[in-house]
Amino acid sequence: MITITAIITVTPGSDALMAAELLKVAAHVRANEPDTIDFFISQSRDNPCRFTTYERFTDAAAMDRHNGSEAVAVFFAAVKPHLAEPVILETCTELSAT
């Protein structure tokens, strides 16, 4: 299993926009990406401008399909002007899912 953790920080006042855009991606994943096993979205309790996604894919091809999707492209186009810092992405091989 391949995973991606993304940490996304937006400018103050952009948190509602970010939440809405992330939920659009989640809806797309749910409807169109059977090989994306999980797509979790979290918003920091300490900093509402910081979001984390945790994504699980069956394989590299599924990850590439997700990352190359129109939904992801539309997401980044919408939020790029609101990013407070570069998105942190960590791609990993899952060792345990307990």
Side-chain angles (χ1 to χ4, degrees):
M1 189 84 54
I2 296 175
T3 68
I4 295 176
T5 301
I7 301 173
I8 308 165
T9 306
V10 294
T11 56
S14 298
D15 51 310
L17 169 74
M18 175 57 71
E21 293 300 324
L22 283 169
L23 291 171
K24 288 178 190 177
V25 175
H28 169 83
V29 167
R30 191 170 25 262
N32 300 291
E33 296 184 18
D35 294 327
T36 300
I37 305 304
D38 292 301
F39 187 85
F40 297 104
I41 303 166
S42 300
Q43 185 174 15
S44 173
R45 293 174 66 170
D46 296 328
N47 178 357
C49 291
R50 183 170 298 128
F51 295 80
T52 302
T53 66
Y54 183 70
E55 307 159 34
R56 298 174 73 229
F57 306 95
T58 56
D59 56 25
M63 180 184 68
D64 292 343
R65 281 191 299 277
H66 169 75
N67 289 336
S69 71
E70 180 69 16
V72 171
V74 168
F75 165 78
F76 276 109
V79 303
K80 186 176 181 180
H82 303 279
L83 295 176
E85 54 192 57
V87 175
I88 298 168
L89 291 174
E90 189 69 36
T91 304
C92 300
T93 299
E94 186 173 89
L95 299 179
S96 175
T98 57

